[in-house]
Amino acid sequence: MKIILLQTDICWADPVANVARLGKVIDHYDKVDLFVLPEMFSTGFCTLPEGIAEPADSPTLQWMKQTACTHDCALAGSISIAENGKFYNRFFFVHPDGKVQWYDKKHLFTYGGEDKHYTAGTERVVVNFRGVRFLLEVCYDLRFPVWSRNRGDYDVALYVASWPSPRVEAWKALLRARAIENQCYVLGVNRVGKDLYCDYCGGTAAIDPYGKTLSACEDGKEGQVEAFIDMNELEAFRKKFPVLEDADAFTLN
């Protein structure tokens, strides 16, 4: 499976401009299975979503559907959503046939005040696409390994983020840790540039189940990187070295 990770700058609260820029990048590619976009790729990471968040069936989501159909691929990325009087940091996974699955961010970033305006999700979401199972996770979720523990139910953990530059080394280390401890591929997509509050330097990367970086974008610059998922190699590794069978049992309250 061929996946493109898009490390992009984001214009503040301007979905039209952001979607147009991303569309031009995607149009340059052919025969890609999945494009992964950063957290809140249409607006920037807005902890004050009033007047910025988009409706649940937003024009940005419609663009994702149309792009997925046109390119016979899937698109994944989170959008700030307003629905029934509440706000959600919603990670959409859009299939080429128009099917939409989503995950509402579980761990809201209290340090930045996200919890004061957004409603946390409660359901873990795994998406099946073209023979690969993807766990959907958003930014701060990366710091909580119990939530992302592999229960034998996924092959790739997708993390989309607006992770600030001062803590980027934690981002890079935790991506590798999640891959090693869960015997899975990890794809982390972070933005670059500046918004009203933070600087972002990227750190977008594809990590294999051994914790090795397969490919990565250059820090501090917009760019794209290819990631290839080899299910035969993953299954052979899990069979040869069945770490997950020895994992501690637990339940989430």
Side-chain angles (χ1 to χ4, degrees), residues 176-222:
R176 294 183 65 237
R178 296 296 87 83
I180 294 167
E181 71 194 11
N182 292 301
Q183 281 195 307
C184 69
Y185 288 94
V186 168
L187 307 180
V189 179
N190 192 29
R191 65 161 294 183
V192 292
K194 299 181 179 180
D195 62 18
L196 302 178
Y197 310 101
C198 296
D199 293 344
Y200 306 90
C201 65
T204 296
I207 314 295
D208 76 6
Y210 295 89
K212 177 183 177 182
T213 300
L214 298 175
S215 54
C217 289
E218 183 177 352
D219 285 354
K221 295 184 178 181
E222 289 190 296

Side-chain angles (χ1 to χ4, degrees), residues 12-228:
W12 183 255
D14 194 343
V16 173
N18 290 317
V19 163
R21 293 174 67 245
L22 288 166
K24 290 179 180 178
V25 174
I26 291 172
D27 285 343
H28 283 298
Y29 286 93
D30 189 29
K31 296 181 180 180
V32 173
D33 293 291
L34 170 64
F35 290 93
V36 187
L37 316 175
E39 178 182 22
M40 294 193 189
F41 67 87
S42 65
T43 60
F45 182 62
C46 53
T47 55
L48 300 174
E50 292 82 357
I52 296 177
E54 302 183 53
D57 195 23
S58 71
T60 298
L61 179 57
Q62 295 306 313
W63 168 79
M64 293 178 77
K65 290 181 179 180
Q66 182 60 52
T67 302
C69 177
T70 299
H71 291 272
D72 187 30
C73 68
L75 264 69
S78 95
I79 302 174
S80 177
I81 292 293
E83 184 178 47
N84 298 324
K86 296 181 178 181
F87 297 102
Y88 300 91
N89 188 340
R90 184 162 290 173
F91 187 175
F92 288 103
F93 192 104
V94 179
H95 297 252
D97 63 359
K99 177 182 177 182
V100 179
Q101 294 175 268
W102 68 82
Y103 159 71
D104 290 331
K105 186 178 181 181
K106 160 75 170 175
H107 297 95
L108 300 177
F109 189 47
T110 56
Y111 182 79
E114 186 181 16
D115 62 310
K116 293 180 174 60
H117 299 272
Y118 287 84
T119 298
T122 58
E123 296 185 10
R124 170 184 166 111
V125 176
V126 175
V127 171
N128 285 277
F129 178 63
R130 294 182 177 172
V132 180
R133 301 169 300 171
F134 294 91
L135 176 71
L136 307 187
E137 301 274 75
V138 181
C139 202
Y140 196 43
D141 286 328
L142 181 61
R143 289 186 178 270
F144 303 94
V146 172
W147 181 244
S148 60
R149 174 70 69 84
N150 196 337
R151 307 169 193 172
D153 58 346
Y154 71 85
D155 309 302
V156 180
L158 285 183
Y159 288 93
V160 298
S162 291
W163 195 287
S165 298
R167 297 184 292 278
V168 72
E169 291 305 319
W171 160 262
K172 293 178 179 180
L174 291 172
L175 288 177
R176 294 183 65 237
R178 296 296 87 83
I180 294 167
E181 71 194 11
N182 292 301
Q183 281 195 307
C184 69
Y185 288 94
V186 168
L187 307 180
V189 179
N190 192 29
R191 65 161 294 183
V192 292
K194 299 181 179 180
D195 62 18
L196 302 178
Y197 310 101
C198 296
D199 293 344
Y200 306 90
C201 65
T204 296
I207 314 295
D208 76 6
Y210 295 89
K212 177 183 177 182
T213 300
L214 298 175
S215 54
C217 289
E218 183 177 352
D219 285 354
K221 295 184 178 181
E222 289 190 296
Q224 305 85 47
V225 68
E226 295 183 356
F228 292 91

